[in-house]
Amino acid sequence: MKKIISVAPGRICLFGDHQDYLGLPVIACAIDRKIQLEAIENDSDEFRIHMIDINESRTINIRATFEDLEQRDYFASALRVLRRHGCEPNKGYDITVTGNIPINSGTSSSSALLLAWINFLATAFGVNEEITPEFIARIGYLSEVVEHGEPGGMMDHYSIGIGNVIQIDTRSPFSYEVIGSEVNGLISGVSGVPKQTIGLIGELKTNALLAISAIMEHFPYFNLNETSVSDLDKYRNYLPDRLIPFFEAAIINHHCTQRAIVEFQKEVLDLKKIGQLMNEHHAVLRDLLKITVPRIDAMINAALNAGAYGAKIVGSGGGGSIVVMAEPGKEAPIVQAILNAGAVDAYAVKVNPGAQIVQKL
């Protein structure tokens, strides 16, 4: 093909932050902010990649095997993984990358770029199985998390690859269900404080798993998915004080997500109820996991004071973005309140159908 345009959206985690790596359910949606990768065939043996928004360029030989991966080199890891699935690049392309997903904001700009890259490679050179949204998502997870040994989960890749509003069951065997294609009243607010992905996820995951391991020493058949908030008193005394917040957060957030799943299964969404659950979820992320920063807190308080139904931090934390549930049609004053509280950007968002090839010639 002479020209291919591959696009992939950002994503917002509605419920289940810091849950997917624990085998707990997540609700996320793709949003109408995107990374676009435009590839035009050239007469070389190279991928000449120009990332316009960050003013960076890179050249990759199409036959490079990347025996030694550099940290977070997802261009390389995707090529390695795709080769195992029959993808063998045989011609070069000039590639231009642009987008409007804010970088390092918790809305998965890096995973969106990765899935756009994977979809381009699979489309241009083929693979030994059908190219489906699930295939693109799975290769994304393998390329980012498994290949690099990173501590994240599957939420980013499946919510971007599958699109819409998706409920993800991260237990083995992994499964997902599309539970909606529209949620009105969503707002994203960007703090401008860079999020802390790898280190923060690694720390929180380690502490949560240590807490679960300590409980299992006394209760060998303990199952996190079957534990309720009413069980906390039963288990708390078996944990050292420093691990209690991580255990409580896992249980309470799981309970919140379970109730949100019930709400999303209703024919007509109760946005006020969903907003209230967002507030409960955020309180745990703020008070137990302590992943917020003052600007995030100020943005959320401003949104709620301006009439939002609910708001929460998005993603790994330490900065990044918030998601807000507002009354549809009344987003504008809430957007302005978030900006007045120090956000570098804020805007209403719609649900997106997921990663796609929008042109191939």
Side-chain angles (χ1 to χ4, degrees):
M1 291 168 230
K2 299 294 184 181
K3 180 178 180 180
I4 299 171
I5 298 179
S6 175
V7 299
R11 71 95 186 95
I12 285 176
C13 179
L14 298 172
F15 293 92
D17 300 87
H18 293 284
Q19 301 277 276
D20 56 342
Y21 53 70
L22 298 177
L24 296 173
V26 173
I27 302 172
C29 69
I31 59 173
D32 58 350
R33 292 263 160 162
K34 68 181 180 181
I35 295 291
Q36 176 170 300
L37 185 154
E38 180 176 311
I40 299 175
E41 183 182 344
N42 61 37
D43 57 0
S44 76
D45 289 337
E46 295 175 335
F47 298 122
R48 300 166 181 167
I49 304 169
H50 307 283
M51 292 168 277
I52 303 300
D53 301 321
I54 58 174
N55 195 29
E56 290 185 8
S57 296
R58 180 174 181 184
T59 299
I60 299 174
N61 188 283
I62 63 173
R63 296 179 182 84
T65 56
F66 298 102
E67 294 181 8
D68 296 313
L69 277 180
E70 293 187 13
Q71 186 179 25
R72 306 204 78 187
D73 186 351
Y74 304 136
F75 286 112
S77 57
L79 274 165
R80 285 201 342 182
V81 172
L82 280 168
R83 287 185 189 281
R84 298 172 199 149
H85 291 78
C87 183
E88 292 293 342
N90 57 15
K91 54 189 173 185
Y93 280 85
D94 291 319
I95 297 168
T96 302
V97 177
T98 56
N100 61 0
I101 306 173
I103 296 171
N104 207 20
S105 69
T107 47
S108 291
S109 59
S110 61
S111 294
L113 173 57
L114 171 62
L115 266 67
W117 170 242
I118 289 168
N119 214 358
F120 153 67
L121 291 171
T123 300
F125 306 110
V127 289
N128 55 17
E129 57 190 281
E130 184 182 1
I131 303 172
T132 64
E134 183 173 9
F135 173 81
I136 299 300
R138 176 162 49 90
I139 297 299
Y141 169 71
L142 293 172
S143 301
E144 183 170 345
V145 177
V146 176
E147 205 75 357
H148 286 274
E150 293 185 1
M154 299 179 175
M155 173 181 63
D156 293 354
H157 315 95
Y158 278 81
S159 55
I160 293 170
I162 305 300
N164 299 292
V165 184
I166 185 172
Q167 172 193 335
I168 303 172
D169 187 340
T170 62
R171 292 175 295 181
S172 182
F174 170 86
S175 65
Y176 68 87
E177 178 185 1
V178 175
I179 57 175
S181 59
E182 184 177 61
V183 180
N184 294 317
L186 288 177
I187 296 169
S188 179
V190 184
S191 72
V193 180
K195 65 184 178 64
Q196 303 172 28
T197 301
I198 302 300
L200 191 54
I201 289 179
E203 177 188 354
L204 296 180
K205 179 179 180 179
T206 296
N207 286 323
L209 293 177
L210 284 172
I212 293 167
S213 178
I215 294 298
M216 292 187 71
E217 289 181 8
H218 301 277
F219 302 90
Y221 299 105
F222 171 80
N223 187 324
L224 190 60
N225 276 276
E226 297 175 0
T227 304
S228 68
V229 174
S230 62
D231 295 322
L232 282 173
D233 288 340
K234 172 182 176 182
Y235 295 119
R236 193 177 283 112
N237 290 336
Y238 293 92
L239 291 170
D241 287 347
R242 73 174 191 87
L243 293 181
I244 289 174
F246 304 98
F247 183 74
E248 289 185 346
I251 301 304
I252 297 171
N253 277 341
H254 180 213
H255 178 59
C256 187
T257 302
Q258 286 178 309
R259 288 182 289 154
I261 289 171
V262 172
E263 293 301 320
F264 275 97
Q265 290 171 341
K266 295 179 179 178
E267 187 173 341
V268 178
L269 297 182
D270 184 339
L271 300 184
K272 285 186 178 180
K273 179 62 176 178
I274 292 172
Q276 291 167 3
L277 290 171
M278 278 185 177
N279 291 334
E280 290 183 33
H281 189 6
H282 177 74
V284 175
L285 299 171
R286 180 192 64 214
D287 300 337
L288 292 178
L289 295 185
K290 300 185 184 303
I291 66 170
T292 69
V293 294
R295 190 178 300 173
I296 290 283
D297 292 334
M299 290 162 57
I300 285 178
N301 290 337
L304 296 175
N305 289 336
Y309 294 150
K312 60 178 283 293
I313 191 171
V314 171
S316 54
S321 296
I322 67 171
V323 60
V324 177
M325 179 64 74
E327 182 179 347
K330 297 187 177 180
E331 296 93 345
I334 297 172
V335 166
Q336 189 59 52
I338 295 169
L339 292 170
N340 293 344
V344 298
D345 206 355
Y347 38 79
V349 293
K350 299 294 185 183
V351 176
N352 181 274
Q356 300 177 59
I357 299 295
V358 297
Q359 187 178 94
K360 52 183 179 180
L361 301 173

